Amino acid sequence: MKLDRIDIRILHELQKNGRLTNVELADLVHLSPSPCLMRVKKLQQVGYITGYSAHIDLAKLGPTVTVFTEVTLSNHRQNDFSRFQQAIEKVEEAIECHLISGGYDYLLKFVTASISDYQELMERLLEAEIGIDKYFSFIVMKSAFVKHHLPLRTLFPES
Protein backbone atom coordinates (compact mmCIF):
# COMPACT_ATOMS: atom_id res chain seq x y z
CA MET A 1 0.00 0.00 0.00
CA LYS A 2 1.43 3.37 -1.05
CA LEU A 3 0.62 6.12 1.44
CA ASP A 4 -0.50 9.55 0.32
CA ARG A 5 -0.55 12.89 2.18
CA ILE A 6 -3.94 12.17 3.71
CA ASP A 7 -2.79 8.80 5.08
CA ILE A 8 0.23 10.50 6.66
CA ARG A 9 -2.06 13.15 8.17
CA ILE A 10 -4.32 10.43 9.57
CA LEU A 11 -1.35 8.64 11.15
CA HIS A 12 -0.01 11.94 12.48
CA GLU A 13 -3.30 12.87 14.14
CA LEU A 14 -3.95 9.39 15.55
CA GLN A 15 -0.53 9.13 17.13
CA LYS A 16 -1.11 12.47 18.83
CA ASN A 17 -4.57 11.42 20.04
CA GLY A 18 -5.74 7.86 19.47
CA ARG A 19 -9.08 8.65 21.13
CA LEU A 20 -10.28 10.93 18.34
CA THR A 21 -13.69 10.03 17.02
CA ASN A 22 -13.87 9.29 13.32
CA VAL A 23 -15.80 12.53 12.79
CA GLU A 24 -13.12 14.56 14.60
CA LEU A 25 -10.36 12.82 12.67
CA ALA A 26 -12.14 13.33 9.35
CA ASP A 27 -12.45 17.03 10.10
CA LEU A 28 -8.74 17.33 10.98
CA VAL A 29 -7.62 15.62 7.75
CA HIS A 30 -10.26 17.32 5.56
CA LEU A 31 -12.20 14.19 4.57
CA SER A 32 -15.77 13.15 5.03
CA PRO A 33 -16.27 10.55 7.79
CA SER A 34 -16.94 7.50 5.60
CA PRO A 35 -13.75 7.68 3.46
CA CYS A 36 -11.76 8.56 6.59
CA LEU A 37 -13.00 5.45 8.38
CA MET A 38 -12.20 3.31 5.34
CA ARG A 39 -8.64 4.67 5.28
CA VAL A 40 -8.15 4.06 9.02
CA LYS A 41 -9.38 0.47 8.68
CA LYS A 42 -7.06 -0.08 5.71
CA LEU A 43 -4.10 1.38 7.66
CA GLN A 44 -4.89 -1.06 10.47
CA GLN A 45 -5.31 -4.07 8.16
CA VAL A 46 -2.04 -3.43 6.34
CA GLY A 47 -0.17 -2.94 9.64
CA TYR A 48 0.70 0.76 9.63
CA ILE A 49 -1.39 1.14 12.79
CA THR A 50 -0.31 -1.58 15.18
CA GLY A 51 -2.39 -0.63 18.22
CA TYR A 52 -3.61 2.04 20.58
CA SER A 53 -2.48 2.73 24.13
CA ALA A 54 -2.69 5.18 27.01
CA HIS A 55 0.27 7.29 28.12
CA ILE A 56 0.79 6.83 31.86
CA ASP A 57 2.19 9.51 34.19
CA LEU A 58 4.58 7.37 36.25
CA ALA A 59 5.29 10.20 38.68
CA LYS A 60 1.67 10.08 39.83
CA LEU A 61 1.95 6.34 40.54
CA GLY A 62 5.10 6.58 42.63
CA PRO A 63 8.86 6.89 42.44
CA THR A 64 10.68 5.17 39.57
CA VAL A 65 14.13 5.18 38.03
CA THR A 66 14.88 5.28 34.30
CA VAL A 67 18.25 3.88 33.26
CA PHE A 68 19.87 3.77 29.85
CA THR A 69 22.29 0.87 29.62
CA GLU A 70 25.03 0.23 27.09
CA VAL A 71 25.64 -3.49 26.67
CA THR A 72 28.56 -5.21 24.95
CA LEU A 73 28.22 -8.90 24.17
CA SER A 74 31.03 -11.42 24.67
CA ASN A 75 30.60 -12.92 21.20
CA HIS A 76 29.15 -11.55 18.01
CA ARG A 77 27.65 -14.46 16.10
CA GLN A 78 24.08 -14.24 14.91
CA ASN A 79 22.88 -16.73 17.54
CA ASP A 80 24.53 -14.60 20.28
CA PHE A 81 22.48 -11.58 19.22
CA SER A 82 19.31 -13.68 18.96
CA ARG A 83 19.80 -15.26 22.39
CA PHE A 84 20.38 -11.87 24.00
CA GLN A 85 17.40 -10.22 22.31
CA GLN A 86 15.04 -13.07 23.18
CA ALA A 87 16.10 -12.94 26.82
CA ILE A 88 15.82 -9.14 27.09
CA GLU A 89 12.40 -9.09 25.44
CA LYS A 90 11.09 -11.17 28.36
CA VAL A 91 12.30 -8.61 30.93
CA GLU A 92 9.31 -6.41 31.72
CA GLU A 93 11.48 -3.55 32.98
CA ALA A 94 13.29 -3.39 29.62
CA ILE A 95 11.12 -1.03 27.60
CA GLU A 96 13.49 -0.39 24.67
CA CYS A 97 16.27 -2.41 23.07
CA HIS A 98 18.32 -1.08 20.17
CA LEU A 99 21.16 -2.78 18.28
CA ILE A 100 23.68 0.01 17.75
CA SER A 101 26.77 0.72 15.69
CA GLY A 102 29.77 2.06 17.57
CA GLY A 103 31.61 1.14 20.73
CA TYR A 104 29.00 -1.22 22.18
CA ASP A 105 26.30 -3.54 20.85
CA TYR A 106 22.99 -2.54 22.46
CA LEU A 107 21.37 0.48 24.03
CA LEU A 108 18.62 -0.52 26.45
CA LYS A 109 16.13 1.54 28.40
CA PHE A 110 14.95 0.20 31.74
CA VAL A 111 12.34 1.53 34.15
CA THR A 112 12.54 0.14 37.68
CA ALA A 113 11.21 1.09 41.10
CA SER A 114 14.67 1.93 42.46
CA ILE A 115 18.37 1.86 41.71
CA SER A 116 18.76 -1.25 43.85
CA ASP A 117 16.01 -2.97 41.82
CA TYR A 118 17.90 -2.06 38.64
CA GLN A 119 21.15 -3.44 40.07
CA GLU A 120 19.45 -6.70 41.12
CA LEU A 121 17.98 -7.00 37.63
CA MET A 122 21.40 -6.54 36.02
CA GLU A 123 22.91 -9.12 38.36
CA ARG A 124 20.20 -11.61 37.34
CA LEU A 125 20.89 -10.90 33.67
CA LEU A 126 24.61 -11.47 34.17
CA GLU A 127 23.93 -14.75 36.01
CA ALA A 128 21.56 -15.87 33.25
CA GLU A 129 24.55 -16.06 30.89
CA ILE A 130 22.82 -14.43 27.94
CA GLY A 131 26.13 -13.19 26.54
CA ILE A 132 26.72 -9.90 28.37
CA ASP A 133 30.44 -9.07 28.52
CA LYS A 134 30.10 -5.63 30.09
CA TYR A 135 27.55 -2.91 30.63
CA PHE A 136 27.49 0.77 31.54
CA SER A 137 24.54 2.43 33.25
CA PHE A 138 23.29 5.99 32.83
CA ILE A 139 20.67 6.99 35.37
CA VAL A 140 18.21 9.63 34.20
CA MET A 141 18.15 12.51 36.65
CA LYS A 142 15.37 14.42 34.88
CA SER A 143 13.66 14.08 31.52
CA ALA A 144 13.44 17.49 29.89
CA PHE A 145 10.80 16.08 27.54
CA VAL A 146 9.61 12.78 26.13
CA LYS A 147 7.70 12.77 22.87
CA HIS A 148 5.24 9.99 22.18
CA HIS A 149 4.83 10.74 18.50
CA LEU A 150 7.05 10.51 15.46
CA PRO A 151 7.65 13.48 13.13
CA LEU A 152 5.74 11.83 10.26
CA ARG A 153 5.02 15.01 8.31
CA THR A 154 8.72 15.91 8.36
CA LEU A 155 9.95 12.39 7.57
CA PHE A 156 7.48 11.89 4.71
CA PRO A 157 6.61 15.39 3.40
CA GLU A 158 5.71 14.41 -0.15
CA SER A 159 3.85 11.19 0.60
Side-chain angles (χ1 to χ4, degrees):
M1 175 179 172
K2 179 96 170 111
L3 299 183
D4 63 17
R5 258 192 326 247
I6 295 172
D7 295 322
I8 297 295
R9 274 193 243 143
I10 288 170
L11 294 172
H12 172 77
E13 294 300 337
L14 284 176
Q15 74 173 352
K16 286 188 347 187
N17 182 1
R19 295 182 64 167
L20 286 170
T21 67
N22 183 58
V23 172
E24 292 169 331
L25 179 61
D27 186 50
L28 288 169
V29 300
H30 309 295
L31 278 179
S32 58
S34 182
C36 183
L37 183 59
M38 288 179 6
R39 283 177 179 254
V40 170
K41 286 184 177 184
K42 183 74 170 173
L43 290 166
Q44 290 170 340
Q45 289 170 350
V46 179
Y48 286 101
I49 298 173
T50 58
Y52 297 88
S53 63
H55 301 292
I56 309 299
D57 184 349
L58 279 180
K60 289 191 182 289
L61 294 173
T64 61
V65 174
T66 300
V67 183
F68 287 93
T69 306
E70 297 173 352
V71 173
T72 302
L73 299 182
S74 304
N75 297 301
H76 294 93
R77 298 172 303 229
Q78 183 56 44
N79 65 333
D80 297 312
F81 290 104
S82 295
R83 179 176 43 138
F84 176 79
Q85 288 174 196
Q86 289 171 3
I88 290 298
E89 194 169 1
K90 294 174 186 167
V91 176
E92 190 170 1
E93 296 89 347
I95 61 170
E96 291 183 24
C97 177
H98 306 276
L99 180 61
I100 314 251
S101 65
Y104 52 95
D105 298 314
Y106 287 94
L107 178 64
L108 298 141
K109 182 178 179 182
F110 293 96
V111 176
T112 61
S114 66
I115 292 172
S116 62
D117 286 344
Y118 167 75
Q119 188 58 41
E120 288 173 19
L121 170 63
M122 291 309 297
E123 289 170 3
R124 285 195 311 273
L125 291 174
L126 289 169
E127 290 171 6
E129 297 185 13
I130 59 172
I132 297 174
D133 179 38
K134 59 185 173 186
Y135 70 95
F136 296 96
S137 305
F138 302 91
I139 297 168
V140 174
M141 304 300 287
K142 177 182 178 182
S143 295
F145 66 86
V146 176
K147 293 182 181 180
H148 296 286
H149 62 278
L150 301 169
L152 296 179
R153 293 185 300 185
T154 310
L155 292 171
F156 308 103
E158 296 301 318
S159 294

